[in-house]
Amino acid sequence: MTIAKGARLELIGESAVHLLAERGMRGLTHRAVDEAAGLPLGSTSYYARTRAALLNVALARMTSMEAGEFAEAAAAGATGDEPPGLAALLPTDVDGVVDLLTGFVRDAIRDGRDQKIARYELALEATRRADLREAYDEAGRVFREAAVALVAALGARDPVRQGRVLVAWCEGVMFDSIAGAGWSTPPSREEISMGLRELLGGMLASP
């Protein structure tokens, strides 16, 4: 059966993400991706001729997966007919924001461990590759913009700075629970929710 180009690129990207999580950066090779994806040898090299191209394929697929998961979480909390675009799906009250981010962080810790480990591998590699750095930063832009929109809707005094703090808090909890010293005792959904309420309460308090 012939696989369409788009579907094959997705398969290559997902296989590369899995290999990054399982074997680290050294274990990511074109041949290994072919084997993991069940594709004929040389298939990955056809679509991503260089290592830099392969890393970008992995990053693009991982970003697409994460963006889809975030959009699904936002849509799940929306009421009425689904509005167009991610921005229209974002909640505008504290309870909604806490529910959205609690679910996203908890799902990442519980079900998205491999995906996040692969992202940490790519983040470290991006410190050594200017082309990957640019792509990695651009991939994170949608999440930072969403965070700014979330805190702005809540009345934050400095939404750009405070949106960055919100992203850093979520990223920190995920890293500590997945790859850091807290991996053996990850926070419960209730603990994540409580932490977010404390963080947002501090942000929104009158000076």
Side-chain angles (χ1 to χ4, degrees), residues 3-34:
I3 305 176
K5 178 180 179 180
R8 181 163 288 196
L9 270 173
E10 287 186 0
L11 177 60
I12 289 171
E14 289 176 17
S15 298
V17 168
H18 174 74
L19 285 168
L20 282 170
E22 183 182 71
R23 306 180 189 177
M25 194 59 65
R26 290 185 178 181
L28 180 66
T29 66
H30 289 75
R31 177 182 288 272
V33 173
D34 286 338

Side-chain angles (χ1 to χ4, degrees), residues 32 44 57 64 83-84 101 115 134 159 176:
T44 299
V57 168
S64 176
L101 296 181
Q115 190 171 299
E134 182 178 354
D176 182 66

Side-chain angles (χ1 to χ4, degrees), residues 29-113:
T29 66
H30 289 75
R31 177 182 288 272
V33 173
D34 286 338
E35 293 173 351
L39 296 172
L41 291 180
S43 297
T44 299
S45 294
Y46 177 80
Y47 289 99
R49 295 191 179 280
T50 65
R51 182 168 181 78
L54 179 56
L55 291 173
N56 276 277
V57 168
L59 176 60
R61 182 55 188 151
M62 184 181 61
T63 302
S64 176
M65 292 163 66
E66 288 184 335
E69 291 161 3
F70 187 78
E72 286 179 10
T79 57
D81 294 334
E82 182 177 318
L86 176 61
L89 291 171
L90 297 177
T92 57
D93 62 287
V94 171
D95 287 342
V97 171
V98 169
D99 287 345
L100 167 62
L101 296 181
T102 296
F104 185 72
V105 171
R106 180 59 179 164
D107 288 348
I109 294 171
R110 184 183 60 191
D111 304 320
R113 184 174 182 274

Side-chain angles (χ1 to χ4, degrees), residues 143-165:
F143 300 104
R144 292 186 177 276
E145 290 179 349
V148 171
L150 284 172
V151 296
L154 298 179
R157 298 182 300 277
D158 189 350
V160 174
R161 178 181 62 80
Q162 292 170 313
R164 182 170 183 169
V165 171

